[in-house]
mmCIF file of all heavy atoms in Angstrom:
data_model
loop_
_atom_site.group_PDB
_atom_site.id
_atom_site.type_symbol
_atom_site.label_atom_id
_atom_site.label_comp_id
_atom_site.label_asym_id
_atom_site.label_seq_id
_atom_site.Cartn_x
_atom_site.Cartn_y
_atom_site.Cartn_z
ATOM 1 N N VAL B 1289 -197.712 -141.432 -21.831
ATOM 2 C CA VAL B 1289 -199.139 -141.612 -21.493
ATOM 3 C C VAL B 1289 -199.958 -141.867 -22.763
ATOM 4 O O VAL B 1289 -200.866 -142.698 -22.767
ATOM 5 C CB VAL B 1289 -199.692 -140.393 -20.711
ATOM 6 C CG1 VAL B 1289 -201.157 -140.600 -20.360
ATOM 7 C CG2 VAL B 1289 -198.905 -140.169 -19.445
ATOM 8 N N LEU B 1290 -199.591 -141.172 -23.836
ATOM 9 C CA LEU B 1290 -200.298 -141.351 -25.110
ATOM 10 C C LEU B 1290 -200.193 -142.802 -25.582
ATOM 11 O O LEU B 1290 -201.187 -143.418 -26.006
ATOM 12 C CB LEU B 1290 -199.665 -140.407 -26.144
ATOM 13 C CG LEU B 1290 -200.491 -139.973 -27.332
ATOM 14 C CD1 LEU B 1290 -201.750 -139.266 -26.896
ATOM 15 C CD2 LEU B 1290 -199.663 -139.035 -28.219
ATOM 16 N N LEU B 1292 -199.412 -145.408 -23.610
ATOM 17 C CA LEU B 1292 -200.058 -146.285 -22.620
ATOM 18 C C LEU B 1292 -201.564 -146.361 -22.858
ATOM 19 O O LEU B 1292 -202.174 -147.428 -22.708
ATOM 20 C CB LEU B 1292 -199.788 -145.772 -21.200
ATOM 21 C CG LEU B 1292 -198.399 -146.063 -20.627
ATOM 22 C CD1 LEU B 1292 -198.290 -145.504 -19.215
ATOM 23 C CD2 LEU B 1292 -198.123 -147.563 -20.599
ATOM 24 N N PHE B 1293 -202.186 -145.229 -23.215
ATOM 25 C CA PHE B 1293 -203.623 -145.242 -23.506
ATOM 26 C C PHE B 1293 -203.902 -146.175 -24.681
ATOM 27 O O PHE B 1293 -204.894 -146.904 -24.689
ATOM 28 C CB PHE B 1293 -204.118 -143.824 -23.835
ATOM 29 C CG PHE B 1293 -204.791 -143.155 -22.675
ATOM 30 C CD1 PHE B 1293 -204.192 -142.086 -22.024
ATOM 31 C CD2 PHE B 1293 -206.025 -143.594 -22.227
ATOM 32 C CE1 PHE B 1293 -204.807 -141.467 -20.950
ATOM 33 C CE2 PHE B 1293 -206.646 -142.982 -21.148
ATOM 34 C CZ PHE B 1293 -206.032 -141.911 -20.506
ATOM 35 N N GLY B 1294 -203.005 -146.143 -25.680
ATOM 36 C CA GLY B 1294 -203.147 -147.031 -26.835
ATOM 37 C C GLY B 1294 -203.107 -148.492 -26.413
ATOM 38 O O GLY B 1294 -203.947 -149.302 -26.836
ATOM 39 N N PHE B 1295 -202.166 -148.824 -25.507
ATOM 40 C CA PHE B 1295 -202.064 -150.198 -25.004
ATOM 41 C C PHE B 1295 -203.328 -150.578 -24.235
ATOM 42 O O PHE B 1295 -203.853 -151.685 -24.368
ATOM 43 C CB PHE B 1295 -200.873 -150.346 -24.036
ATOM 44 C CG PHE B 1295 -199.525 -150.288 -24.695
ATOM 45 C CD1 PHE B 1295 -198.398 -149.922 -23.978
ATOM 46 C CD2 PHE B 1295 -199.374 -150.600 -26.046
ATOM 47 C CE1 PHE B 1295 -197.154 -149.863 -24.573
ATOM 48 C CE2 PHE B 1295 -198.124 -150.542 -26.658
ATOM 49 C CZ PHE B 1295 -197.025 -150.171 -25.921
ATOM 50 N N ALA B 1296 -203.800 -149.657 -23.397
ATOM 51 C CA ALA B 1296 -204.917 -149.961 -22.493
ATOM 52 C C ALA B 1296 -206.227 -150.113 -23.254
ATOM 53 O O ALA B 1296 -207.060 -150.972 -22.922
ATOM 54 C CB ALA B 1296 -205.048 -148.861 -21.443
ATOM 55 N N VAL B 1297 -206.436 -149.289 -24.267
ATOM 56 C CA VAL B 1297 -207.732 -149.260 -24.950
ATOM 57 C C VAL B 1297 -207.773 -150.267 -26.100
ATOM 58 O O VAL B 1297 -208.839 -150.752 -26.483
ATOM 59 C CB VAL B 1297 -208.020 -147.821 -25.444
ATOM 60 C CG1 VAL B 1297 -209.292 -147.754 -26.257
ATOM 61 C CG2 VAL B 1297 -208.117 -146.885 -24.264
ATOM 62 N N GLY B 1298 -206.619 -150.590 -26.633
ATOM 63 C CA GLY B 1298 -206.583 -151.474 -27.795
ATOM 64 C C GLY B 1298 -206.109 -150.677 -28.987
ATOM 65 O O GLY B 1298 -206.185 -149.443 -29.003
ATOM 66 N N THR B 1299 -205.659 -151.390 -29.995
ATOM 67 C CA THR B 1299 -205.027 -150.675 -31.108
ATOM 68 C C THR B 1299 -205.949 -150.524 -32.316
ATOM 69 O O THR B 1299 -205.485 -150.190 -33.408
ATOM 70 C CB THR B 1299 -203.733 -151.400 -31.528
ATOM 71 O OG1 THR B 1299 -204.046 -152.791 -31.648
ATOM 72 C CG2 THR B 1299 -202.641 -151.205 -30.509
ATOM 73 N N GLN B 1300 -207.254 -150.764 -32.107
ATOM 74 C CA GLN B 1300 -208.187 -150.588 -33.231
ATOM 75 C C GLN B 1300 -208.307 -149.093 -33.543
ATOM 76 O O GLN B 1300 -208.637 -148.294 -32.658
ATOM 77 C CB GLN B 1300 -209.551 -151.148 -32.859
ATOM 78 C CG GLN B 1300 -209.597 -152.650 -32.983
ATOM 79 C CD GLN B 1300 -210.994 -153.136 -33.238
ATOM 80 O OE1 GLN B 1300 -211.946 -152.500 -32.847
ATOM 81 N NE2 GLN B 1300 -211.112 -154.271 -33.920
ATOM 82 N N ASN B 1301 -208.084 -148.755 -34.791
ATOM 83 C CA ASN B 1301 -208.057 -147.354 -35.178
ATOM 84 C C ASN B 1301 -209.350 -146.613 -34.866
ATOM 85 O O ASN B 1301 -209.326 -145.480 -34.401
ATOM 86 C CB ASN B 1301 -207.754 -147.230 -36.674
ATOM 87 C CG ASN B 1301 -206.268 -147.057 -36.897
ATOM 88 O OD1 ASN B 1301 -205.518 -146.930 -35.935
ATOM 89 N ND2 ASN B 1301 -205.844 -147.064 -38.145
ATOM 90 N N SER B 1302 -210.495 -147.282 -35.098
ATOM 91 C CA SER B 1302 -211.775 -146.596 -34.880
ATOM 92 C C SER B 1302 -211.962 -146.236 -33.402
ATOM 93 O O SER B 1302 -212.431 -145.151 -33.073
ATOM 94 C CB SER B 1302 -212.929 -147.471 -35.369
ATOM 95 O OG SER B 1302 -212.917 -148.687 -34.664
ATOM 96 N N THR B 1303 -211.563 -147.152 -32.503
ATOM 97 C CA THR B 1303 -211.692 -146.872 -31.057
ATOM 98 C C THR B 1303 -210.790 -145.703 -30.673
ATOM 99 O O THR B 1303 -211.205 -144.807 -29.937
ATOM 100 C CB THR B 1303 -211.283 -148.120 -30.234
ATOM 101 O OG1 THR B 1303 -211.892 -149.256 -30.811
ATOM 102 C CG2 THR B 1303 -211.662 -147.986 -28.786
ATOM 103 N N LEU B 1304 -209.568 -145.750 -31.175
ATOM 104 C CA LEU B 1304 -208.621 -144.685 -30.832
ATOM 105 C C LEU B 1304 -209.113 -143.325 -31.329
ATOM 106 O O LEU B 1304 -208.971 -142.321 -30.629
ATOM 107 C CB LEU B 1304 -207.237 -145.000 -31.417
ATOM 108 C CG LEU B 1304 -206.476 -146.136 -30.730
ATOM 109 C CD1 LEU B 1304 -205.194 -146.459 -31.474
ATOM 110 C CD2 LEU B 1304 -206.153 -145.770 -29.287
ATOM 111 N N VAL B 1305 -209.697 -143.307 -32.529
ATOM 112 C CA VAL B 1305 -210.213 -142.038 -33.066
ATOM 113 C C VAL B 1305 -211.372 -141.547 -32.189
ATOM 114 O O VAL B 1305 -211.450 -140.364 -31.855
ATOM 115 C CB VAL B 1305 -210.673 -142.211 -34.533
ATOM 116 C CG1 VAL B 1305 -211.453 -140.994 -35.011
ATOM 117 C CG2 VAL B 1305 -209.473 -142.445 -35.433
ATOM 118 N N ASP B 1306 -212.252 -142.495 -31.785
ATOM 119 C CA ASP B 1306 -213.402 -142.104 -30.959
ATOM 120 C C ASP B 1306 -212.982 -141.483 -29.635
ATOM 121 O O ASP B 1306 -213.601 -140.526 -29.173
ATOM 122 C CB ASP B 1306 -214.289 -143.334 -30.673
ATOM 123 C CG ASP B 1306 -215.069 -143.753 -31.904
ATOM 124 O OD1 ASP B 1306 -215.125 -142.953 -32.858
ATOM 125 O OD2 ASP B 1306 -215.608 -144.876 -31.917
ATOM 126 N N ILE B 1307 -211.962 -142.073 -29.016
ATOM 127 C CA ILE B 1307 -211.587 -141.575 -27.676
ATOM 128 C C ILE B 1307 -210.545 -140.465 -27.725
ATOM 129 O O ILE B 1307 -210.215 -139.892 -26.687
ATOM 130 C CB ILE B 1307 -211.075 -142.717 -26.761
ATOM 131 C CG1 ILE B 1307 -209.778 -143.318 -27.322
ATOM 132 C CG2 ILE B 1307 -212.137 -143.792 -26.542
ATOM 133 C CD1 ILE B 1307 -208.974 -144.054 -26.287
ATOM 134 N N SER B 1308 -210.031 -140.172 -28.907
ATOM 135 C CA SER B 1308 -208.895 -139.230 -28.977
ATOM 136 C C SER B 1308 -209.171 -137.847 -28.367
ATOM 137 O O SER B 1308 -208.285 -137.307 -27.691
ATOM 138 C CB SER B 1308 -208.350 -139.119 -30.398
ATOM 139 O OG SER B 1308 -209.373 -138.813 -31.288
ATOM 140 N N PRO B 1309 -210.375 -137.233 -28.541
ATOM 141 C CA PRO B 1309 -210.564 -135.916 -27.886
ATOM 142 C C PRO B 1309 -210.471 -136.017 -26.353
ATOM 143 O O PRO B 1309 -209.831 -135.181 -25.713
ATOM 144 C CB PRO B 1309 -211.982 -135.490 -28.303
ATOM 145 C CG PRO B 1309 -212.281 -136.294 -29.509
ATOM 146 C CD PRO B 1309 -211.568 -137.581 -29.330
ATOM 147 N N GLY B 1310 -211.102 -137.072 -25.791
ATOM 148 C CA GLY B 1310 -211.066 -137.255 -24.338
ATOM 149 C C GLY B 1310 -209.658 -137.520 -23.848
ATOM 150 O O GLY B 1310 -209.212 -136.931 -22.857
ATOM 151 N N VAL B 1311 -208.948 -138.410 -24.550
ATOM 152 C CA VAL B 1311 -207.575 -138.740 -24.149
ATOM 153 C C VAL B 1311 -206.698 -137.491 -24.230
ATOM 154 O O VAL B 1311 -205.909 -137.211 -23.322
ATOM 155 C CB VAL B 1311 -207.011 -139.860 -25.062
ATOM 156 C CG1 VAL B 1311 -205.508 -140.037 -24.846
ATOM 157 C CG2 VAL B 1311 -207.732 -141.164 -24.805
ATOM 158 N N PHE B 1312 -206.879 -136.738 -25.324
ATOM 159 C CA PHE B 1312 -206.104 -135.503 -25.495
ATOM 160 C C PHE B 1312 -206.263 -134.600 -24.274
ATOM 161 O O PHE B 1312 -205.279 -134.127 -23.695
ATOM 162 C CB PHE B 1312 -206.571 -134.767 -26.763
ATOM 163 C CG PHE B 1312 -205.889 -133.447 -26.983
ATOM 164 C CD1 PHE B 1312 -204.763 -133.365 -27.789
ATOM 165 C CD2 PHE B 1312 -206.353 -132.283 -26.375
ATOM 166 C CE1 PHE B 1312 -204.122 -132.145 -27.986
ATOM 167 C CE2 PHE B 1312 -205.720 -131.071 -26.565
ATOM 168 C CZ PHE B 1312 -204.601 -131.003 -27.371
ATOM 169 N N TRP B 1313 -207.508 -134.385 -23.871
ATOM 170 C CA TRP B 1313 -207.728 -133.419 -22.792
ATOM 171 C C TRP B 1313 -207.351 -133.951 -21.423
ATOM 172 O O TRP B 1313 -206.896 -133.197 -20.564
ATOM 173 C CB TRP B 1313 -209.169 -132.892 -22.832
ATOM 174 C CG TRP B 1313 -209.278 -131.867 -23.907
ATOM 175 C CD1 TRP B 1313 -209.949 -131.977 -25.094
ATOM 176 C CD2 TRP B 1313 -208.625 -130.593 -23.936
ATOM 177 N NE1 TRP B 1313 -209.756 -130.844 -25.858
ATOM 178 C CE2 TRP B 1313 -208.956 -129.985 -25.175
ATOM 179 C CE3 TRP B 1313 -207.792 -129.901 -23.069
ATOM 180 C CZ2 TRP B 1313 -208.476 -128.730 -25.536
ATOM 181 C CZ3 TRP B 1313 -207.316 -128.653 -23.420
ATOM 182 C CH2 TRP B 1313 -207.657 -128.072 -24.638
ATOM 183 N N VAL B 1314 -207.507 -135.268 -21.209
ATOM 184 C CA VAL B 1314 -207.079 -135.822 -19.915
ATOM 185 C C VAL B 1314 -205.559 -135.667 -19.785
ATOM 186 O O VAL B 1314 -205.053 -135.214 -18.753
ATOM 187 C CB VAL B 1314 -207.498 -137.314 -19.780
ATOM 188 C CG1 VAL B 1314 -206.802 -137.965 -18.590
ATOM 189 C CG2 VAL B 1314 -209.000 -137.425 -19.598
ATOM 190 N N ILE B 1315 -204.835 -136.010 -20.862
ATOM 191 C CA ILE B 1315 -203.369 -135.881 -20.796
ATOM 192 C C ILE B 1315 -202.974 -134.404 -20.672
ATOM 193 O O ILE B 1315 -202.062 -134.051 -19.914
ATOM 194 C CB ILE B 1315 -202.691 -136.515 -22.036
ATOM 195 C CG1 ILE B 1315 -203.049 -138.001 -22.124
ATOM 196 C CG2 ILE B 1315 -201.182 -136.355 -21.965
ATOM 197 C CD1 ILE B 1315 -202.524 -138.696 -23.373
ATOM 198 N N VAL B 1373 -201.910 -137.303 -31.302
ATOM 199 C CA VAL B 1373 -203.231 -137.919 -31.557
ATOM 200 C C VAL B 1373 -203.542 -137.960 -33.057
ATOM 201 O O VAL B 1373 -204.253 -138.852 -33.520
ATOM 202 C CB VAL B 1373 -204.395 -137.241 -30.783
ATOM 203 C CG1 VAL B 1373 -204.359 -137.592 -29.325
ATOM 204 C CG2 VAL B 1373 -204.446 -135.757 -30.984
ATOM 205 N N TYR B 1377 -202.974 -141.816 -33.251
ATOM 206 C CA TYR B 1377 -204.368 -142.281 -33.115
ATOM 207 C C TYR B 1377 -205.157 -142.129 -34.426
ATOM 208 O O TYR B 1377 -206.259 -142.652 -34.538
ATOM 209 C CB TYR B 1377 -205.090 -141.513 -32.004
ATOM 210 C CG TYR B 1377 -204.670 -141.864 -30.594
ATOM 211 C CD1 TYR B 1377 -203.560 -142.667 -30.338
ATOM 212 C CD2 TYR B 1377 -205.397 -141.401 -29.502
ATOM 213 C CE1 TYR B 1377 -203.172 -142.973 -29.047
ATOM 214 C CE2 TYR B 1377 -205.026 -141.707 -28.202
ATOM 215 C CZ TYR B 1377 -203.902 -142.484 -27.979
ATOM 216 O OH TYR B 1377 -203.535 -142.792 -26.699
ATOM 217 N N MET B 1379 -206.450 -139.237 -35.641
ATOM 218 C CA MET B 1379 -207.559 -138.278 -35.506
ATOM 219 C C MET B 1379 -207.566 -137.314 -36.703
ATOM 220 O O MET B 1379 -206.513 -136.838 -37.118
ATOM 221 C CB MET B 1379 -207.392 -137.487 -34.203
ATOM 222 C CG MET B 1379 -208.585 -136.648 -33.831
ATOM 223 S SD MET B 1379 -208.353 -135.816 -32.242
ATOM 224 C CE MET B 1379 -207.532 -134.325 -32.759
ATOM 225 N N THR B 1435 -213.686 -131.367 -24.370
ATOM 226 C CA THR B 1435 -213.805 -132.650 -25.076
ATOM 227 C C THR B 1435 -214.955 -132.597 -26.076
ATOM 228 O O THR B 1435 -214.826 -133.054 -27.217
ATOM 229 C CB THR B 1435 -214.033 -133.794 -24.054
ATOM 230 O OG1 THR B 1435 -212.984 -133.743 -23.097
ATOM 231 C CG2 THR B 1435 -214.043 -135.146 -24.724
ATOM 232 N N TRP B 1438 -214.040 -130.487 -29.030
ATOM 233 C CA TRP B 1438 -213.111 -131.209 -29.918
ATOM 234 C C TRP B 1438 -213.816 -132.319 -30.685
ATOM 235 O O TRP B 1438 -213.470 -132.590 -31.836
ATOM 236 C CB TRP B 1438 -211.917 -131.746 -29.112
ATOM 237 C CG TRP B 1438 -210.817 -130.734 -29.094
ATOM 238 C CD1 TRP B 1438 -210.926 -129.420 -28.749
ATOM 239 C CD2 TRP B 1438 -209.458 -130.923 -29.500
ATOM 240 N NE1 TRP B 1438 -209.728 -128.781 -28.891
ATOM 241 C CE2 TRP B 1438 -208.801 -129.680 -29.351
ATOM 242 C CE3 TRP B 1438 -208.724 -132.010 -29.948
ATOM 243 C CZ2 TRP B 1438 -207.449 -129.502 -29.647
ATOM 244 C CZ3 TRP B 1438 -207.369 -131.840 -30.246
ATOM 245 C CH2 TRP B 1438 -206.755 -130.605 -30.105
ATOM 246 N N GLU B 1439 -214.787 -132.974 -30.024
ATOM 247 C CA GLU B 1439 -215.575 -133.994 -30.749
ATOM 248 C C GLU B 1439 -216.272 -133.344 -31.935
ATOM 249 O O GLU B 1439 -216.284 -133.893 -33.036
ATOM 250 C CB GLU B 1439 -216.623 -134.628 -29.819
ATOM 251 C CG GLU B 1439 -216.060 -135.751 -28.973
ATOM 252 C CD GLU B 1439 -217.079 -136.268 -27.972
ATOM 253 O OE1 GLU B 1439 -218.257 -135.859 -28.036
ATOM 254 O OE2 GLU B 1439 -216.684 -137.072 -27.104
ATOM 255 N N ILE B 1442 -213.736 -132.512 -34.711
ATOM 256 C CA ILE B 1442 -213.171 -133.576 -35.557
ATOM 257 C C ILE B 1442 -214.241 -134.332 -36.359
ATOM 258 O O ILE B 1442 -213.926 -134.937 -37.370
ATOM 259 C CB ILE B 1442 -212.309 -134.584 -34.748
ATOM 260 C CG1 ILE B 1442 -213.148 -135.326 -33.715
ATOM 261 C CG2 ILE B 1442 -211.137 -133.904 -34.105
ATOM 262 C CD1 ILE B 1442 -212.424 -136.528 -33.122
ATOM 263 N N THR B 1443 -215.501 -134.270 -35.869
ATOM 264 C CA THR B 1443 -216.522 -135.043 -36.578
ATOM 265 C C THR B 1443 -217.299 -134.208 -37.597
ATOM 266 O O THR B 1443 -217.856 -134.756 -38.533
ATOM 267 C CB THR B 1443 -217.525 -135.673 -35.594
ATOM 268 O OG1 THR B 1443 -218.037 -134.627 -34.757
ATOM 269 C CG2 THR B 1443 -216.893 -136.751 -34.747
#
Side-chain angles (χ1 to χ4, degrees):
Chain B
V1289 180
L1290 204 59
L1292 283 180
F1293 260 110
F1295 289 156
V1297 175
T1299 48
Q1300 281 206 332
N1301 267 354
S1302 59
T1303 315
L1304 288 174
V1305 169
D1306 287 346
I1307 64 159
S1308 53
V1311 169
F1312 177 94
W1313 282 110
V1314 168
I1315 300 175
V1373 286
Y1377 288 10
M1379 190 177 87
T1435 306
W1438 269 51
E1439 277 175 8
I1442 63 167
T1443 53

